[in-house]
Amino acid sequence: MKRRILTGLLACCLSLSLALPGFAAGAIPSPGEVSQVVTALGVLDGGSGGDLELSRNVTRAEFITMALKASPNGDQVGEASTSPYPDVPYTHWAAGYVEAAVAAGLVTAYSDGTFRPDNPITLAEGATIALGLLGYTAEDYSGAYPTPQLALYRSKGLDQGVSAQRASDSLTRQDAMYLFYNLMTADTREGSVYVSQLGYSLNAAGELDLVGLINGEMEGPLVASGDWRSSIPFSLEGVTVNRNGTISNLGAIQENDVIYWNQSMRTLWVSSEKVMGIIQSLEPSASSPTSVQVLGRTYEIESAQAALALSDLGTYGVGDTVTLLLGRSGGVAAVAGPSAVKNELCGVVTETQRSTYDDGHGGTYTADMVTILATDGSTYQYQWTANYLEAGDPVGVSFDAGGSVTLTHLSSSGLSGTVSQDGTRVGDRRFADGAEILDVTGSSAVKIFPSRLAGLNLTRDNVTYYSLNGSGEIDRLILNDATGDAGQFGILIRMDDTGDDWSSLYSYEYDLGGSVYTLPASTTRFPVSLGGIRVVGDPADPDRLYSLNEVKADGVSGSTLRAGSRSYTISDQVVVYEYRDRQYFPSTLDRVQELGLSLTGWYDRPENQGGRIRVIVAR
């Protein structure tokens, strides 16, 4: 077990399929929740098939192995140099752990000098070993064994979730799992929390920092290339694969994906995020870069491999076109050439600009650039010589063998039909596994999944472009405002008519999630009234403003707002305000529910057309 923190990962939000909560000391979480912690630490191992066998008894050899793995130097236990006991020869699988446990004073022999490695371990024995990890020795107990040991074991809260009650009861593997979980939040003899010895901490509520814990026990990054599977130090049979925050499978891992893993959890976390563009700067210097700027954005460098590739000792420098392979934290895990992206891409233009760039040799050059959000969710930037592309245009990108780029304006498609309720097909056309979908509104676009389209009727006006794979399934799809998810939503605070008898001028003030914009002296009378609105285009100079539809909420349950006999689905990006003293203050749905405030919801369109509750105001 490695006691280290993976650079750049601790601060990130954990993109796991396990949406892990924190567990307060004293609470009894479920076995599934506890196993995530104990297996992440490497204390419990499910073997090649991943079965933890929680119902069977744990042997003395197994328990002492778990105890050593739960100790600060558990990853440094090697093979035994001697036979620690007559019945534990140096050739025994656990001999190294038993030898280390003897040296640490955690175990002693039976009166006949044997260890009895295959015997089930009893509660009294397991509790005494766990207390030994906390720093307690025989000198700390008064009275006949095991009465004082079990009293201290219970006072430390080590018994939570453990089914064994009597000293002679055998511990199951589930009992052992709970015992080691409880150990992490227990105080040592010196008064520090035990998990701090492993390099982790508790938060102010006394909860395990699971994000830090699992990130810290994660290996990688590894770039999927060639025979990458042989670089993972365990069998991949039956592993859990989480790709871009979604449960997936080994077959979905593609060339140049970035992979992390935890052997005990038998889990792979995979990121396919890429950014392609020209290196604009390296900071603090090209000799020792810690960050790189591409597409006007700065990316922290996550790995030594990427730092070398971008340094003056490596392959790439300022002015070169590269593909940054991004890790789970959004940092640069590796660097590749332009050909690391697919031979063909499609997406939507998000920006065109002319800029001046450092050529890396003391000079500068000026180039027209086009920035594209592709259907794979990644952003790419290319030098642009054509003059017929503008923000919002659908575009195809292709590459020749030398990495030269060709941009093509995509023509509209003829696809239409109703999306099935399970989100697997449009009319007679099935979605391919991993189908890539963009929904575009003006110059804004958002990546969505087929399930988001379930039940929607897509017209030809909704579908800008699609492509089929070799099986005739839809693999890429660009939509025109089919769901509204690419829109910007907020609250219209003020609207005034400031004109005279000869002409009318209008001024608007609106808040979009905490950012306030003022549009003074506009000649356009937008069809809006005070309340929830949708903004299309640049919020400082919008193309259009629309009013949303108002509903008075009777309550909220999960992601549903109830109003009378009707229910409305709440957007994942719902904007929430508290209205106090004639002002709107950004808030959260959890907070306004806890306060018991009266809620008003605003939705953009009927739900069978992709509509959602976009704005909630609490009073």
Side-chain angles (χ1 to χ4, degrees), residues 347-351 390-395 409 440-444 464 478:
V348 62
V349 176
T350 58
E351 184 180 17
E390 59 185 25
D393 284 348
V395 63
H409 193 293
V440 182
T441 300
S443 60
S444 300
T464 299
I478 300 177

Side-chain angles (χ1 to χ4, degrees), residues 234-247:
F234 55 93
S235 168
L236 297 181
E237 180 183 356
V239 296
T240 298
V241 177
N242 184 296
R243 187 171 187 265
N244 298 329
T246 303
I247 291 296

Side-chain angles (χ1 to χ4, degrees), residues 70-332:
S71 69
N73 298 312
D75 56 338
Q76 299 175 18
V77 176
E79 295 183 359
S81 57
T82 62
S83 297
Y85 292 103
D87 54 349
V88 185
Y90 72 92
T91 55
H92 190 281
W93 68 267
Y97 289 99
V98 174
E99 183 180 59
V102 171
L106 293 176
V107 293
T108 57
Y110 283 101
S111 58
D112 62 359
T114 62
F115 181 74
R116 306 176 193 176
D118 297 327
N119 278 14
I121 196 161
T122 65
L123 172 60
E125 293 168 337
T128 303
I129 291 170
L131 291 168
L133 290 173
L134 293 176
Y136 293 94
T137 64
E139 287 73 25
D140 294 302
Y141 307 116
S142 60
Y145 172 86
T147 300
Q149 285 86 349
L150 289 180
L152 183 59
Y153 153 81
R154 293 188 174 96
S155 71
K156 288 284 186 181
L158 298 177
D159 60 331
Q160 294 183 88
V162 178
S163 62
Q165 297 296 315
R166 296 174 299 179
S168 60
D169 286 347
S170 297
L171 294 178
T172 65
R173 283 172 61 87
Q174 178 165 308
D175 288 335
M177 179 182 73
Y178 270 98
L179 179 52
F180 287 111
Y181 175 83
N182 298 332
L183 176 73
M184 298 302 151
T185 56
D187 287 337
T188 66
R189 186 177 183 275
E190 288 72 31
S192 63
V193 65
Y194 182 80
V195 77
S196 66
Q197 299 185 55
L198 307 183
Y200 305 109
S201 61
L202 304 182
N203 61 22
E207 301 167 341
L208 282 170
D209 175 13
L210 297 184
V211 172
L213 187 154
I214 295 180
N215 276 328
E217 297 298 327
M218 195 178 290
E219 302 286 345
L222 169 71
V223 176
S225 179
D227 185 24
W228 64 266
R229 297 187 185 204
S230 64
S231 299
I232 304 294
F234 55 93
S235 168
L236 297 181
E237 180 183 356
V239 296
T240 298
V241 177
N242 184 296
R243 187 171 187 265
N244 298 329
T246 303
I247 291 296
S248 187
N249 55 66
L250 286 171
I253 299 176
Q254 301 177 14
E255 188 87 358
N256 290 310
D257 281 357
V258 179
I259 304 169
Y260 306 83
W261 66 90
N262 180 289
Q263 181 170 354
S264 298
M265 294 181 73
R266 297 188 51 75
T267 299
L268 306 183
W269 292 273
V270 184
S271 170
S272 67
E273 296 299 309
K274 303 176 182 66
V275 173
M276 180 178 175
I278 293 172
I279 298 176
Q280 296 165 329
S281 69
L282 293 165
E283 298 295 340
S285 68
S287 61
S288 184
T290 59
S291 65
V292 56
Q293 186 181 69
V294 171
L295 300 175
R297 290 184 57 189
T298 298
Y299 298 87
E300 297 299 317
I301 297 172
E302 175 181 303
S303 70
Q305 174 191 2
L308 176 62
L310 292 167
S311 74
D312 56 9
L313 300 175
T315 308
Y316 306 104
V318 173
D320 290 337
T321 299
V322 296
T323 302
L324 305 181
L325 309 181
L326 303 184
R328 291 183 49 254
S329 66
V332 182

Side-chain angles (χ1 to χ4, degrees), residues 428-551:
D428 295 331
R429 291 283 188 191
R430 289 191 62 84
F431 284 114
D433 289 340
E436 300 173 350
I437 307 174
L438 284 184
D439 194 12
V440 182
T441 300
S443 60
S444 300
V446 63
K447 180 178 174 63
I448 62 175
F449 296 94
S451 58
R452 175 66 180 91
L453 302 174
L456 270 63
N457 180 36
L458 299 180
T459 67
R460 290 174 180 263
D461 291 336
N462 293 136
V463 182
T464 299
Y465 173 80
Y466 75 101
S467 65
L468 305 177
N469 63 15
S471 300
E473 300 168 324
I474 300 170
D475 59 357
R476 291 180 294 186
L477 179 63
I478 300 177
L479 299 172
N480 176 29
D481 198 25
T483 65
D485 289 353
Q488 303 170 86
F489 301 94
I491 202 84
L492 182 62
I493 301 169
R494 181 179 56 82
M495 180 178 68
D496 296 317
D497 182 344
T498 58
D500 53 30
D501 293 339
W502 299 98
S503 62
S504 293
L505 295 175
Y506 305 93
S507 62
Y508 306 87
E509 183 179 355
Y510 41 90
D511 183 300
L512 301 180
S515 297
V516 178
Y517 299 89
T518 301
L519 185 62
S522 171
T523 58
T524 303
R525 171 62 168 92
F526 293 110
V528 291
S529 56
L530 299 183
I533 61 167
R534 177 185 184 188
V535 177
V536 178
D538 182 352
D541 184 21
D543 298 325
R544 296 182 298 278
L545 301 179
Y546 295 114
S547 277
L548 302 179
N549 303 290
E550 179 181 2
V551 291

